Amino acid sequence: MASPTSQRTNKFTTLRLRFLMIMLLCHTPHESKLFSANQNHQKIFSPPPPPQQQQQDSNPHAAFDTLDLDGHFSFQNTAHASRDFGNRFFFRPAAVLHPKSVSDIASTVKHVYEMGPLSGLTVAARGHGHSLQGQSQADGGIVVNMESLTRRPSQGHLRGGGGGRYVDVSGGELWIDVLKETLKQGLAPKSWTDYLHLTVGGTLSNGGISGQAFRHGPQINNVQQLEVVTGKGEVVTCSEKQNAELFFSVLGGLGQFGIITRARISLEAAPDMVRWIRVLYSDFSKFSTDQEHLISLDESFDYIEGFVIINRTGLLNNWRSSFHPKDPVQASQFVSDGKTLYCLEVAKYYKITALHLLQQIQGLLSKLHFITSTLFVSEVSYLGFLDRVHVAEMKLREQGLWEVPHPWLCLFIPGSKMDQFASQVFGSIVTDSSNGPILIYALNQSKWNNNIKRTSLVTPREDVIYHVSFLASAVPSSTGKDGLDYILARNQRILDFSLGAGIGLKQYLPHYTTQEDWKGHFGSKWEVFLKRKLTYDPLAVLAPGHRIFKRQYQIRKQSITEGLLKNT
């Protein structure tokens, strides 16, 4: 039987943990609107900080003069770090750190942590700046330019042989550079994103999905080890067997628990070429049935995606610039105007010496139910296929259409609800696809590594789910259907319908502004998420741009907790 002293200690510890959890919940932000689309994209500033914070933050130079860094701080040229790909939120930092070593990042975070809760300073890791709602920004804080921390995989960090092939890469390395270096050894990572000009740490903090994920899972499902700087400034190596709780916390953790400074990525033998195929459907049920059939097979295509095309004139004629129709005569007679069509896009990877490739592809296609006159095929290099979106980026940049607002909405939909979602959304809410691509493809979570459930990534609880992304670009100053206000309102209609219909969707690249919404997003993972935050970033120093936790909560939590403990 426990002694009275032991009982009092256990009671004390239990009460303390309860109050820590309560205060975390109570001081999660309740902002209802951080940006207004009709205010020329101007930031709405929060109330001024408390006097103590103003005093400590007034001279950021002095606060970091004592740090011995390999890299340097920039206090003047910080405007680039106040924007991102989304081009909707603008929060200017006090300084930008350009690290040349992991210790630069660790020393900076540790310094901020040791300044205590009254400093109000926060730290955000910024990769290629491809976040959508200011997630890589730190209002009045420090932005870490992760691309300064690069270490080419070719410099002795590539390992081969057996089934344990991997590459060690910096968290600030771009995936396109990882691909180019590993290809020199005839190897490549297994899972990708559609756009490769993103940093390793950035995609692993979110998930990282593309058309290979039906088989290999997201990128976070293909990581063997991480090096992480926690919110306390500690440098920790972690994996499934070493510091496992931190490892799974950080993967898909939205940067809340640590900054990824190095990742060990699993590799496989790289192919030479890709046979890239597109076909069309007019019936969504046939389209989704065929997708689910393909992802269920052990021997299938290597890449499976799809997208929705609504009222597009001359669609197949536009494809001819990159694809070849199997039947040119029938393809020329196909009319896409005024129709809602569903494109299945698949690819088969192969070595130049591969045998029976065409028979394999024909066998797979023979089981599908697409419109036969819409079969288009292209042959491209593996590198060219994976880097295909960058080609579109260059064209948009030339036209001045890249650095515009991108009000994207990215979702995971339970497979059992996909027909209902598609019927309403593509039948009534979304009436045009000219604002940008609408991706839709099936994923089979039962084929993923079961450990992914321990990560911070949130998906619906069904084996088959769909990734649906509305990748819209808004025309600045437009008040029409291509304007920001219209697209944001359309996105909200999709979310409102889904909530009312009980679709049970989860956002990918999530963005919420209230405590209740974040709790709803994480669901049963919410309590674990809070405990992990208390363990690895107790002062809420990291990743303020997600607005999950506020730096100020620690001040109240500490004072109230101390008062309660005195009375215990």
CSV table of all heavy atoms in Angstrom, one decimal, residues 313-360:
chain,number,residue,atom,x,y,z
A,313,THR,N,-13.2,23.9,-73.1
A,313,THR,CA,-13.3,23.8,-74.5
A,313,THR,C,-12.0,23.3,-75.1
A,313,THR,O,-10.9,23.6,-74.7
A,313,THR,CB,-13.6,25.2,-75.1
A,313,THR,OG1,-14.8,25.7,-74.6
A,313,THR,CG2,-13.6,25.2,-76.6
A,314,GLY,N,-12.1,22.4,-76.1
A,314,GLY,CA,-11.0,21.9,-76.8
A,314,GLY,C,-10.0,21.1,-75.9
A,314,GLY,O,-8.8,21.2,-76.1
A,315,LEU,N,-10.5,20.4,-75.0
A,315,LEU,CA,-9.6,19.7,-74.0
A,315,LEU,C,-8.6,18.8,-74.6
A,315,LEU,O,-7.4,18.9,-74.4
A,315,LEU,CB,-10.5,18.9,-73.0
A,315,LEU,CG,-9.7,18.1,-72.0
A,315,LEU,CD1,-8.8,18.9,-71.1
A,315,LEU,CD2,-10.7,17.2,-71.2
A,316,LEU,N,-9.1,17.8,-75.4
A,316,LEU,CA,-8.2,16.8,-76.0
A,316,LEU,C,-7.2,17.5,-77.0
A,316,LEU,O,-6.1,17.0,-77.1
A,316,LEU,CB,-9.0,15.7,-76.7
A,316,LEU,CG,-9.9,14.9,-75.8
A,316,LEU,CD1,-10.4,13.7,-76.5
A,316,LEU,CD2,-9.1,14.4,-74.5
A,317,ASN,N,-7.6,18.5,-77.6
A,317,ASN,CA,-6.7,19.2,-78.6
A,317,ASN,C,-5.5,19.8,-77.8
A,317,ASN,O,-4.4,19.8,-78.3
A,317,ASN,CB,-7.5,20.3,-79.3
A,317,ASN,CG,-6.6,20.8,-80.5
A,317,ASN,OD1,-6.1,20.1,-81.3
A,317,ASN,ND2,-6.6,22.2,-80.5
A,318,ASN,N,-5.8,20.3,-76.6
A,318,ASN,CA,-4.8,20.9,-75.8
A,318,ASN,C,-3.8,19.8,-75.3
A,318,ASN,O,-2.6,20.0,-75.1
A,318,ASN,CB,-5.4,21.6,-74.5
A,318,ASN,CG,-6.1,22.8,-74.9
A,318,ASN,OD1,-5.9,23.4,-76.0
A,318,ASN,ND2,-7.1,23.2,-74.1
A,319,TRP,N,-4.3,18.6,-75.1
A,319,TRP,CA,-3.4,17.5,-74.7
A,319,TRP,C,-2.4,17.1,-75.7
A,319,TRP,O,-1.3,16.6,-75.4
A,319,TRP,CB,-4.2,16.2,-74.3
A,319,TRP,CG,-5.0,16.3,-73.0
A,319,TRP,CD1,-5.0,17.4,-72.2
A,319,TRP,CD2,-5.7,15.3,-72.4
A,319,TRP,NE1,-5.8,17.1,-71.1
A,319,TRP,CE2,-6.2,15.8,-71.2
A,319,TRP,CE3,-6.1,14.0,-72.8
A,319,TRP,CZ2,-7.1,15.0,-70.4
A,319,TRP,CZ3,-6.9,13.2,-72.0
A,319,TRP,CH2,-7.4,13.7,-70.8
A,320,ARG,N,-2.7,17.4,-77.0
A,320,ARG,CA,-1.8,16.9,-78.1
A,320,ARG,C,-0.4,17.5,-78.0
A,320,ARG,O,0.5,17.0,-78.6
A,320,ARG,CB,-2.4,17.3,-79.4
A,320,ARG,CG,-3.7,16.4,-79.8
A,320,ARG,CD,-4.3,16.9,-81.0
A,320,ARG,NE,-5.6,16.2,-81.3
A,320,ARG,CZ,-5.7,15.1,-82.1
A,320,ARG,NH1,-4.6,14.6,-82.6
A,320,ARG,NH2,-6.9,14.6,-82.3
A,321,SER,N,-0.2,18.6,-77.3
A,321,SER,CA,1.1,19.2,-77.2
A,321,SER,C,2.1,18.3,-76.4
A,321,SER,O,3.3,18.4,-76.6
A,321,SER,CB,1.0,20.6,-76.5
A,321,SER,OG,0.5,20.5,-75.2
A,322,SER,N,1.5,17.4,-75.5
A,322,SER,CA,2.4,16.6,-74.7
A,322,SER,C,2.1,15.1,-74.9
A,322,SER,O,2.9,14.2,-74.5
A,322,SER,CB,2.3,17.0,-73.2
A,322,SER,OG,2.6,18.3,-73.0
A,323,PHE,N,0.9,14.8,-75.3
A,323,PHE,CA,0.4,13.4,-75.4
A,323,PHE,C,0.0,13.0,-76.9
A,323,PHE,O,-0.3,13.9,-77.7
A,323,PHE,CB,-0.8,13.2,-74.5
A,323,PHE,CG,-0.5,13.2,-73.0
A,323,PHE,CD1,-0.3,14.4,-72.4
A,323,PHE,CD2,-0.3,12.1,-72.3
A,323,PHE,CE1,-0.1,14.5,-71.0
A,323,PHE,CE2,0.0,12.1,-70.9
A,323,PHE,CZ,0.1,13.3,-70.3
A,324,HIS,N,0.0,11.7,-77.1
A,324,HIS,CA,-0.4,11.3,-78.4
A,324,HIS,C,-1.7,10.4,-78.3
A,324,HIS,O,-1.7,9.5,-77.5
A,324,HIS,CB,0.7,10.4,-79.1
A,324,HIS,CG,2.0,11.1,-79.2
A,324,HIS,ND1,2.2,12.2,-80.1
A,324,HIS,CD2,3.1,11.0,-78.5
A,324,HIS,CE1,3.4,12.6,-79.9
A,324,HIS,NE2,4.0,11.9,-79.0
A,325,PRO,N,-2.8,10.7,-79.1
A,325,PRO,CA,-4.0,10.0,-79.0
A,325,PRO,C,-3.8,8.6,-79.6
A,325,PRO,O,-3.1,8.4,-80.7
A,325,PRO,CB,-5.0,10.8,-79.8
A,325,PRO,CG,-4.2,11.6,-80.7
A,325,PRO,CD,-2.9,11.8,-80.0
A,326,LYS,N,-4.4,7.6,-79.0
A,326,LYS,CA,-4.3,6.2,-79.6
A,326,LYS,C,-5.1,6.2,-80.9
A,326,LYS,O,-4.7,5.5,-81.9
A,326,LYS,CB,-4.8,5.2,-78.6
A,326,LYS,CG,-4.7,3.8,-79.2
A,326,LYS,CD,-5.2,2.7,-78.1
A,326,LYS,CE,-5.1,1.3,-78.7
A,326,LYS,NZ,-5.5,0.3,-77.7
A,327,ASP,N,-6.2,6.9,-80.9
A,327,ASP,CA,-7.1,7.0,-82.1
A,327,ASP,C,-7.3,8.5,-82.5
A,327,ASP,O,-8.2,9.1,-82.0
A,327,ASP,CB,-8.4,6.3,-81.9
A,327,ASP,CG,-9.2,6.1,-83.2
A,327,ASP,OD1,-9.1,7.0,-84.0
A,327,ASP,OD2,-9.9,5.1,-83.3
A,328,PRO,N,-6.4,9.1,-83.3
A,328,PRO,CA,-6.5,10.5,-83.6
A,328,PRO,C,-7.9,10.9,-84.2
A,328,PRO,O,-8.4,12.0,-83.9
A,328,PRO,CB,-5.4,10.7,-84.6
A,328,PRO,CG,-4.5,9.6,-84.4
A,328,PRO,CD,-5.3,8.4,-84.0
A,329,VAL,N,-8.5,10.1,-85.0
A,329,VAL,CA,-9.8,10.5,-85.6
A,329,VAL,C,-10.9,10.6,-84.6
A,329,VAL,O,-11.6,11.6,-84.5
A,329,VAL,CB,-10.1,9.4,-86.7
A,329,VAL,CG1,-11.5,9.8,-87.3
A,329,VAL,CG2,-9.1,9.4,-87.8
A,330,GLN,N,-11.0,9.5,-83.7
A,330,GLN,CA,-12.0,9.6,-82.7
A,330,GLN,C,-11.8,10.7,-81.7
A,330,GLN,O,-12.7,11.4,-81.2
A,330,GLN,CB,-12.1,8.2,-82.0
A,330,GLN,CG,-12.7,7.1,-82.8
A,330,GLN,CD,-13.0,5.9,-82.0
A,330,GLN,OE1,-13.4,6.0,-80.8
A,330,GLN,NE2,-12.8,4.7,-82.5
A,331,ALA,N,-10.5,10.9,-81.3
A,331,ALA,CA,-10.2,12.0,-80.4
A,331,ALA,C,-10.6,13.3,-80.9
A,331,ALA,O,-11.1,14.2,-80.2
A,331,ALA,CB,-8.7,11.9,-80.1
A,332,SER,N,-10.4,13.6,-82.2
A,332,SER,CA,-10.7,14.9,-82.8
A,332,SER,C,-12.2,15.1,-82.8
A,332,SER,O,-12.7,16.3,-82.9
A,332,SER,CB,-10.2,14.9,-84.2
A,332,SER,OG,-10.8,14.0,-85.0
A,333,GLN,N,-13.0,14.1,-82.7
A,333,GLN,CA,-14.5,14.2,-82.7
A,333,GLN,C,-15.1,14.4,-81.3
A,333,GLN,O,-16.3,14.6,-81.2
A,333,GLN,CB,-15.1,13.0,-83.4
A,333,GLN,CG,-14.7,12.9,-84.9
A,333,GLN,CD,-15.2,11.6,-85.5
A,333,GLN,OE1,-15.7,10.7,-84.9
A,333,GLN,NE2,-15.0,11.5,-86.8
A,334,PHE,N,-14.3,14.2,-80.3
A,334,PHE,CA,-14.8,14.3,-78.9
A,334,PHE,C,-15.0,15.7,-78.5
A,334,PHE,O,-14.1,16.6,-78.7
A,334,PHE,CB,-13.8,13.6,-77.9
A,334,PHE,CG,-14.2,13.6,-76.5
A,334,PHE,CD1,-15.1,12.6,-76.1
A,334,PHE,CD2,-13.8,14.6,-75.6
A,334,PHE,CE1,-15.6,12.6,-74.8
A,334,PHE,CE2,-14.3,14.5,-74.3
A,334,PHE,CZ,-15.1,13.6,-73.9
A,335,VAL,N,-16.2,16.0,-77.9
A,335,VAL,CA,-16.5,17.4,-77.5
A,335,VAL,C,-16.5,17.4,-76.0
A,335,VAL,O,-17.2,16.6,-75.3
A,335,VAL,CB,-17.9,17.7,-78.1
A,335,VAL,CG1,-18.3,19.1,-77.6
A,335,VAL,CG2,-17.9,17.7,-79.6
A,336,SER,N,-15.8,18.3,-75.4
A,336,SER,CA,-15.7,18.5,-73.9
A,336,SER,C,-16.5,19.7,-73.4
A,336,SER,O,-16.7,19.8,-72.2
A,336,SER,CB,-14.2,18.6,-73.5
A,336,SER,OG,-13.6,19.8,-74.1
A,337,ASP,N,-16.9,20.6,-74.3
A,337,ASP,CA,-17.7,21.8,-73.9
A,337,ASP,C,-18.9,21.4,-73.1
A,337,ASP,O,-19.7,20.5,-73.5
A,337,ASP,CB,-18.1,22.6,-75.2
A,337,ASP,CG,-16.9,22.9,-76.1
A,337,ASP,OD1,-16.1,21.9,-76.4
A,337,ASP,OD2,-16.8,24.0,-76.5
A,338,GLY,N,-19.1,22.2,-72.0
A,338,GLY,CA,-20.3,22.0,-71.2
A,338,GLY,C,-20.4,20.8,-70.4
A,338,GLY,O,-21.4,20.5,-69.8
A,339,LYS,N,-19.4,20.0,-70.4
A,339,LYS,CA,-19.4,18.7,-69.7
A,339,LYS,C,-18.6,18.7,-68.4
A,339,LYS,O,-17.6,19.4,-68.3
A,339,LYS,CB,-18.9,17.6,-70.6
A,339,LYS,CG,-19.7,17.3,-71.8
A,339,LYS,CD,-19.1,16.2,-72.6
A,339,LYS,CE,-19.9,15.9,-73.9
A,339,LYS,NZ,-19.3,14.8,-74.7
A,340,THR,N,-19.0,17.9,-67.4
A,340,THR,CA,-18.1,17.6,-66.3
A,340,THR,C,-17.5,16.2,-66.5
A,340,THR,O,-18.1,15.2,-66.7
A,340,THR,CB,-18.9,17.5,-65.0
A,340,THR,OG1,-19.5,18.8,-64.7
A,340,THR,CG2,-18.0,17.1,-63.8
A,341,LEU,N,-16.1,16.2,-66.7
A,341,LEU,CA,-15.4,15.1,-67.0
A,341,LEU,C,-14.4,14.7,-65.9
A,341,LEU,O,-13.9,15.6,-65.2
A,341,LEU,CB,-14.6,15.3,-68.3
A,341,LEU,CG,-15.5,15.5,-69.5
A,341,LEU,CD1,-14.7,16.0,-70.7
A,341,LEU,CD2,-16.3,14.3,-69.9
A,342,TYR,N,-14.0,13.5,-65.8
A,342,TYR,CA,-13.1,13.0,-64.8
A,342,TYR,C,-11.9,12.3,-65.5
A,342,TYR,O,-12.1,11.3,-66.2
A,342,TYR,CB,-13.8,12.0,-63.8
A,342,TYR,CG,-15.0,12.7,-63.2
A,342,TYR,CD1,-16.3,12.4,-63.8
A,342,TYR,CD2,-15.0,13.5,-62.2
A,342,TYR,CE1,-17.4,13.0,-63.3
A,342,TYR,CE2,-16.1,14.1,-61.6
A,342,TYR,CZ,-17.3,13.8,-62.2
A,342,TYR,OH,-18.5,14.4,-61.7
A,343,CYS,N,-10.7,12.9,-65.3
A,343,CYS,CA,-9.5,12.3,-66.0
A,343,CYS,C,-8.8,11.4,-65.0
A,343,CYS,O,-8.4,11.8,-63.9
A,343,CYS,CB,-8.6,13.5,-66.4
A,343,CYS,SG,-7.1,12.9,-67.1
A,344,LEU,N,-8.5,10.2,-65.4
A,344,LEU,CA,-7.7,9.3,-64.7
A,344,LEU,C,-6.3,9.4,-65.3
A,344,LEU,O,-6.1,9.2,-66.5
A,344,LEU,CB,-8.2,7.8,-64.9
A,344,LEU,CG,-7.3,6.7,-64.2
A,344,LEU,CD1,-7.2,6.9,-62.7
A,344,LEU,CD2,-7.9,5.4,-64.5
A,345,GLU,N,-5.3,9.7,-64.5
A,345,GLU,CA,-3.9,9.8,-65.0
A,345,GLU,C,-3.1,8.7,-64.3
A,345,GLU,O,-3.0,8.7,-63.1
A,345,GLU,CB,-3.4,11.2,-64.6
A,345,GLU,CG,-2.0,11.5,-65.1
A,345,GLU,CD,-1.6,12.9,-64.8
A,345,GLU,OE1,-1.4,13.3,-63.7
A,345,GLU,OE2,-1.5,13.7,-65.8
A,346,VAL,N,-2.5,7.9,-65.1
A,346,VAL,CA,-1.7,6.8,-64.5
A,346,VAL,C,-0.3,6.8,-65.2
A,346,VAL,O,-0.1,7.3,-66.3
A,346,VAL,CB,-2.4,5.4,-64.7
A,346,VAL,CG1,-3.7,5.4,-63.9
A,346,VAL,CG2,-2.7,5.2,-66.2
A,347,ALA,N,0.6,6.1,-64.6
A,347,ALA,CA,2.0,6.0,-65.2
A,347,ALA,C,2.6,4.7,-64.8
A,347,ALA,O,2.4,4.2,-63.7
A,347,ALA,CB,2.8,7.1,-64.7
A,348,LYS,N,3.4,4.1,-65.7
A,348,LYS,CA,4.1,2.9,-65.4
A,348,LYS,C,5.6,3.2,-65.6
A,348,LYS,O,6.0,3.7,-66.7
A,348,LYS,CB,3.7,1.8,-66.4
A,348,LYS,CG,4.2,0.4,-66.1
A,348,LYS,CD,3.5,-0.1,-64.8
A,348,LYS,CE,4.0,-1.6,-64.5
A,348,LYS,NZ,3.4,-2.1,-63.3
A,349,TYR,N,6.4,3.0,-64.6
A,349,TYR,CA,7.8,3.2,-64.6
A,349,TYR,C,8.5,2.0,-65.2
A,349,TYR,O,8.1,0.9,-65.0
A,349,TYR,CB,8.4,3.5,-63.2
A,349,TYR,CG,7.7,4.6,-62.4
A,349,TYR,CD1,7.8,4.6,-61.1
A,349,TYR,CD2,7.0,5.6,-63.1
A,349,TYR,CE1,7.2,5.6,-60.3
A,349,TYR,CE2,6.4,6.6,-62.3
A,349,TYR,CZ,6.5,6.6,-61.0
A,349,TYR,OH,5.9,7.6,-60.2
A,350,TYR,N,9.6,2.2,-65.9
A,350,TYR,CA,10.3,1.0,-66.5
A,350,TYR,C,11.8,1.3,-66.8
A,350,TYR,O,12.2,2.5,-67.0
A,350,TYR,CB,9.6,0.5,-67.7
A,350,TYR,CG,9.6,1.4,-68.9
A,350,TYR,CD1,10.5,1.3,-69.9
A,350,TYR,CD2,8.6,2.4,-69.0
A,350,TYR,CE1,10.5,2.2,-71.0
A,350,TYR,CE2,8.5,3.3,-70.1
A,350,TYR,CZ,9.5,3.2,-71.1
A,350,TYR,OH,9.5,4.0,-72.2
A,351,LYS,N,12.5,0.3,-66.8
A,351,LYS,CA,13.9,0.3,-67.3
A,351,LYS,C,13.9,0.2,-68.8
A,351,LYS,O,12.9,-0.4,-69.4
A,351,LYS,CB,14.7,-0.8,-66.7
A,351,LYS,CG,15.1,-0.6,-65.2
A,351,LYS,CD,16.2,0.4,-65.1
A,351,LYS,CE,16.7,0.5,-63.6
A,351,LYS,NZ,17.8,1.5,-63.5
A,352,ILE,N,14.8,0.7,-69.5
A,352,ILE,CA,14.9,0.7,-71.0
A,352,ILE,C,14.9,-0.8,-71.4
A,352,ILE,O,14.3,-1.1,-72.5
A,352,ILE,CB,16.1,1.4,-71.5
A,352,ILE,CG1,15.9,2.9,-71.2
A,352,ILE,CG2,16.3,1.2,-73.0
A,352,ILE,CD1,17.1,3.8,-71.6
A,353,THR,N,15.4,-1.7,-70.6
A,353,THR,CA,15.5,-3.1,-71.0
A,353,THR,C,14.3,-3.9,-70.6
A,353,THR,O,14.3,-5.1,-70.7
A,353,THR,CB,16.8,-3.7,-70.3
A,353,THR,OG1,16.7,-3.5,-68.9
A,353,THR,CG2,18.1,-3.0,-70.8
A,354,ALA,N,13.3,-3.2,-70.1
A,354,ALA,CA,12.1,-4.0,-69.6
A,354,ALA,C,11.4,-4.7,-70.7
A,354,ALA,O,11.3,-4.3,-71.9
A,354,ALA,CB,11.1,-3.0,-69.0
A,355,LEU,N,10.9,-5.9,-70.3
A,355,LEU,CA,10.2,-6.8,-71.3
A,355,LEU,C,8.7,-6.8,-70.9
A,355,LEU,O,8.3,-6.6,-69.8
A,355,LEU,CB,10.7,-8.2,-71.2
A,355,LEU,CG,12.2,-8.4,-71.6
A,355,LEU,CD1,12.6,-9.8,-71.4
A,355,LEU,CD2,12.5,-8.0,-73.0
A,356,HIS,N,7.9,-7.0,-71.9
A,356,HIS,CA,6.4,-7.2,-71.7
A,356,HIS,C,5.7,-5.9,-71.1
A,356,HIS,O,4.7,-6.1,-70.5
A,356,HIS,CB,6.1,-8.4,-70.9
A,356,HIS,CG,6.9,-9.6,-71.3
A,356,HIS,ND1,6.8,-10.2,-72.6
A,356,HIS,CD2,7.8,-10.4,-70.6
A,356,HIS,CE1,7.5,-11.2,-72.7
A,356,HIS,NE2,8.2,-11.4,-71.5
A,357,LEU,N,6.3,-4.8,-71.2
A,357,LEU,CA,5.7,-3.6,-70.6
A,357,LEU,C,4.4,-3.3,-71.2
A,357,LEU,O,3.4,-3.0,-70.5
A,357,LEU,CB,6.7,-2.4,-70.8
A,357,LEU,CG,6.1,-1.0,-70.3
A,357,LEU,CD1,6.0,-1.0,-68.8
A,357,LEU,CD2,6.9,0.1,-70.9
A,358,LEU,N,4.3,-3.3,-72.6
A,358,LEU,CA,3.0,-2.9,-73.2
A,358,LEU,C,1.9,-3.9,-72.9
A,358,LEU,O,0.8,-3.5,-72.7
A,358,LEU,CB,3.3,-2.8,-74.7
A,358,LEU,CG,4.2,-1.7,-75.2
A,358,LEU,CD1,4.3,-1.8,-76.7
A,358,LEU,CD2,3.7,-0.4,-74.7
A,359,GLN,N,2.3,-5.2,-72.8
A,359,GLN,CA,1.3,-6.2,-72.4
A,359,GLN,C,0.7,-6.0,-71.0
A,359,GLN,O,-0.4,-6.1,-70.7
A,359,GLN,CB,1.9,-7.6,-72.5
A,359,GLN,CG,2.2,-8.0,-73.9
A,359,GLN,CD,3.7,-7.7,-74.3
A,359,GLN,OE1,4.2,-6.7,-73.9
A,359,GLN,NE2,4.3,-8.7,-74.9
A,360,GLN,N,1.6,-5.6,-70.1
A,360,GLN,CA,1.2,-5.3,-68.7
A,360,GLN,C,0.3,-4.1,-68.7
A,360,GLN,O,-0.8,-4.2,-68.0
A,360,GLN,CB,2.4,-5.0,-67.8
A,360,GLN,CG,3.3,-6.2,-67.6
A,360,GLN,CD,4.6,-5.8,-66.9
A,360,GLN,OE1,4.7,-4.7,-66.3
A,360,GLN,NE2,5.6,-6.7,-66.9
